[in-house]
Structures are given as C-alpha cells and as structure tokens.
C-alpha cells in the first residue's frame, strides 16, 4: 500500500509541475513585432521598450506607413505593430494570433500614453480580431486537451480491435477525417470560436488528430503496451502543457516553447489560427511539422506491424506442426 500511495503522490506532483510551470513562468520573450516610422522615432521607441520589457520583443523596422506593418501581421511574420509615423503612436494588435500578446501590447499602449508628447495618447486597433462569439479565444485554448484525448482514444481502440498495421493506419486516417469535421462544428457553429472555412479548419484539426494517433500507434507497434503508455505520457505531460495554444511560441520558459511547437499539439494549435484568421498565411511550418509526424507515424506503425507478423508466423507454423504430429494427417472422408 505504501508503494501505491508514494507512486500516486509522485504522479500528482509531476502532473501539477508539468501543467502549471509553463503557465506560471510564461512571459514575452523575443516575440516578433514591427515598428513603422522614421528611424529616430523607432530607435527611441525600441530603447524605451527595452527598458520596460527587457528581451520581451524582437522589433523589425519598416520605414513605410502602417500598411507595411499590417501586411507583416497578415502574413504572420509579426504579432503586432507600433505605428510611429503619424504623430501620436498607434498600436496595432492581432488577437487572432495571440490574445496574450495583444494584451501585452495593450499595456505597452498604456505606457506610451503616459509618456510626454502631443495628443491624447496612442490608439489601439485590433487588425485581426477574434470572432465576436469568442472574443477571448477561450474555445481555441480549451480545445488542446480534447484533441489529445481524441487521438489517444483512437489509438487505444485501434490497438485493441485491429492487428494489421496497414488497417490501423487506415483506421486512424478515417477517424481523423470524421473526427476533424465533427470537432470543428463545435467551435465554429456552436461556440463561435472559428470563422474560416469549415472544410479548411476541419482539415487542420484532422491533420492534428491523425498525427497524434499515429505517433502513439507507432510506438505501440514497436514496444507493445509500454509504447502506448510512453506515447500517452509524452502527449499529456509534455505536448499538452507546452503546446502554447493560448499564447505565442516565445512565451513558454526556456527551451519548452520551441519544443512544444515541434510536437503535434503545438503545431495543431497554431494551424487552425492560420486557416481561420489569416487566410492560410503562416500555415506552412505547422503543416510541415504535422506532415512529418504523420509520415513518421505511418512508417513506424507499418514496420511494427510487419515485425509482429514475422514473430507470429513461426509460432503459428510450430502450432500447426504439433497438431499434425499429435492428430496425424487429415484423411479425406469416404464418399
């Protein structure tokens, strides 16, 4: 009993650390933004921002008007902009990319409004807003865990019911298609969290589901139940808390942000934002990560299936030989 209690205590502590640390320690770290306006004004703004938020933002300077900065936002190259070329500074946010970064830029705007200068302070404009039905993006943020659980449940069902590796892969793909289309209906038509094409958003979710389930299926086919447990633990303890679905890639502490966005759920959280709010801009990198995970999962699942069949064949042949030796060869019945 003491061992069970100690193990349960360790698991609870590990879960708390895995889920709480990224949220508690997250802050802006080299989040890319742009500043438009004359070079002296941009340099002065960068110096002031560097004092208030050291290493918080990576500033790209554009000498053109705010239109150039807005184009960078739409292309998902930056998360916001400061327009310094029209008198009083103007802050341009994109809550569709990250609510957390948009709120931080709102704070920057408030700080600029307190600085001496002409005008009543900077205006704040959301260039890529979230839908009116979900202005805080809560539906997208809460969708990470269901995607993990859906992929794990699909992998569990396929490992229990299907032995052939190729049929497992086909089953995972079929589940991803139906699950993606069914899942996108909730945030789009009920919660109002997505406003892009239902087919495109559903495809993005389906790619996440199939990459998740095939990763676990591949590990299970090679390592058995241990592989399934390992895959589930990585998804739950690493992939989910480090996915950063509610924040920006540079906000989780240390190396965890980069790692999280190389995992299926991290890329899966970024991809629907690109398809729903940015006309597909910025979708290539997360789609490539998911496609790579998908390809690797298919290969490992097929190889594991072939190895399992090769191990089972000698056993089956040996069983048949024993049966013949004991019962004798089969004799056709007399007519």
């Amino acid at each position: 009993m003491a061992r069970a209690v100690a193990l349960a205590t360790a698991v609870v502590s590990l879960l708390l650390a895995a889920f709480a640390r990224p949220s508690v320690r997250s802050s802006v770290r080299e989040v890319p933004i742009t500043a438009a306006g004359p070079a002296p004004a941009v340099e002065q703004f960068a110096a002031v921002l560097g004092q208030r938020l050291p290493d918080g933002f990576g500033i790209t300077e554009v000498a053109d008007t705010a239109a150039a900065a807005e184009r960078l936002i739409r292309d998902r190259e930056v998360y916001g902009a400061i327009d310094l070329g029209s008198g009083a500074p103007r802050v341009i946010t994109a809550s569709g990319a990250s609510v957390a970064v948009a709120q931080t830029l709102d704070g920057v705007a408030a700080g600029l409004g307190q600085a001496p200068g002409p005008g009543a302070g900077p205006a704040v404009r959301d260039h890529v807003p979230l839908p009116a039905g979900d202005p805080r993006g809560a539906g997208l943020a809460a969708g990470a865990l269901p995607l993990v659980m859906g992929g794990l449940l699909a992998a569990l069902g396929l490992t229990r019911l299907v032995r052939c590796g190729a049929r497992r892969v086909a089953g995972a793909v079929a589940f991803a298609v139906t699950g993606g289309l069914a899942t996108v209906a909730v945030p789009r038509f009920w919660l109002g969290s997505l406003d892009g094409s239902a087919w495109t958003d559903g495809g993005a979710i389906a790619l996440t589901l199939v990459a998740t389930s095939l990763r676990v299926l591949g590990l299970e086919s090679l390592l058995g139940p241990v592989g399934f447990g390992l895959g589930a633990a990585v998804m739950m303890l690493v992939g989910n808390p480090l996915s950063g679905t509610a924040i920006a890639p540079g906000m989780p502490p240390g190396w965890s942000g980069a790692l999280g966005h190389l995992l299926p759920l991290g890329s899966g959280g970024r991809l629907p934002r690109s398809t729903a709010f940015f006309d597909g801009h910025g979708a290539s990198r997360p789609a490539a990560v998911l496609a790579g995970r998908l390809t690797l999962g298919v290969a490992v699942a097929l190889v594991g299936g072939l190895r399992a069949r090769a191990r089972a064949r000698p056993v089956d042949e040996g069983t048949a030989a024993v049966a013949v030796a004991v019962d004798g060869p089969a004799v056709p019945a007399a007519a």
Side-chain angles (χ1 to χ4, degrees), residues 324 327-335:
V324 170
D327 301 331
V331 178

Side-chain angles (χ1 to χ4, degrees), residues 125-236:
R125 179 167 57 86
D126 197 342
H127 185 56
V128 186
L130 287 165
D134 186 13
R136 296 178 300 171
L140 290 175
L145 185 58
L147 287 180
V148 173
M149 296 302 297
L152 292 179
L153 289 175
L156 178 62
L158 290 170
T159 56
R160 296 292 184 182
L161 301 176
V162 181
R163 295 184 60 184
C164 175
R167 291 182 62 191
R168 286 182 175 183
V169 172
V173 173
F175 161 74
V177 173
T178 58
L181 292 177
T183 303
V184 78
V186 175
R188 176 177 172 79
F189 299 110
W190 183 24
L191 301 178
S193 300
L194 296 173
D195 59 3
S197 167
W199 294 101
T200 305
D201 296 341
I205 295 175
L207 188 56
T208 304
L209 287 172
V210 72
T212 302
S213 58
L214 283 175
R215 176 187 179 90
V216 178
L217 282 175
L219 289 173
E220 194 278 339
S221 66
L222 288 180
L223 304 176
V226 175
F228 183 89
L230 178 62
V234 170
M235 291 295 177
M236 293 296 296

